[in-house]
Amino acid sequence: MTHSLTLWLAFVIAVGAIAYFGTRRQAVMFAIAAALTLPAAFLPLSYATPLAPPPGKHTVLGARIDVDVAIYVLIDTPAEPRLYRLPYSAEAANQLQAAQDGTADGEGGVALRVGQDGSPGFSEDSGTPEPPKQAERALIQ
């Protein structure tokens, strides 16, 4: 068990003991508070969320492949980077590895494309294309 969950469990047991000797209303409020604070133990400590990323294209900031376990992906979101735990598949792992190998020279990055069904796909992302250069006009003719 992780430290944060152990701390949460110790808090729940301590407050539960206090609520046990109190009134029924205190016990009900305690049960509601304990249920509501459990997800909060995961959010600030950078645990990977088991939920699928939202559909669309995302920039991958970092990734780790645990064979036959999961693929951990840190993606850049508008608010803040978020760590996701994607289910392991050989196809997704191979795509991610190929995209990472393609960006080994420092050019571009890795992109994650999530379909409407939640299926991930990794590819090499060259970044934003540069606009075409405009020919300069001579100032003096």
Side-chain angles (χ1 to χ4, degrees):
M1 212 188 274
T2 63
H3 297 293
S4 63
L5 293 178
T6 304
L7 181 62
W8 176 83
L9 184 61
F11 172 75
V12 167
I13 290 172
V15 175
I18 294 169
Y20 177 76
F21 294 108
T23 65
R24 180 183 202 105
R25 193 160 87 187
Q26 285 177 331
V28 169
M29 291 307 295
F30 162 72
I32 292 170
L36 291 176
T37 58
L38 178 60
F42 292 101
L43 294 178
L45 299 172
S46 299
Y47 288 105
T49 179
L51 305 173
K57 180 183 171 191
H58 306 284
T59 302
V60 175
L61 300 175
R64 184 176 92 185
I65 301 170
D66 288 350
V67 180
D68 294 330
V69 177
I71 299 174
Y72 296 94
V73 180
L74 180 65
I75 64 171
D76 194 15
T77 62
E80 62 185 18
R82 180 145 259 216
L83 183 63
Y84 287 92
R85 183 179 192 261
L86 304 175
Y88 178 83
S89 73
E91 180 184 357
N94 290 336
Q95 287 176 355
L96 175 59
Q97 190 63 52
Q100 286 179 329
D101 291 344
T103 61
D105 59 355
E107 296 291 323
V110 177
L112 167 65
R113 285 183 170 71
V114 180
Q116 293 297 331
D117 61 347
S119 61
F122 296 95
S123 64
E124 204 174 328
D125 187 15
S126 60
T128 57
E130 292 184 24
K133 302 215 180 216
Q134 300 291 328
E136 293 182 13
R137 289 186 1 198
L139 295 175
I140 299 176
Q141 303 242 356

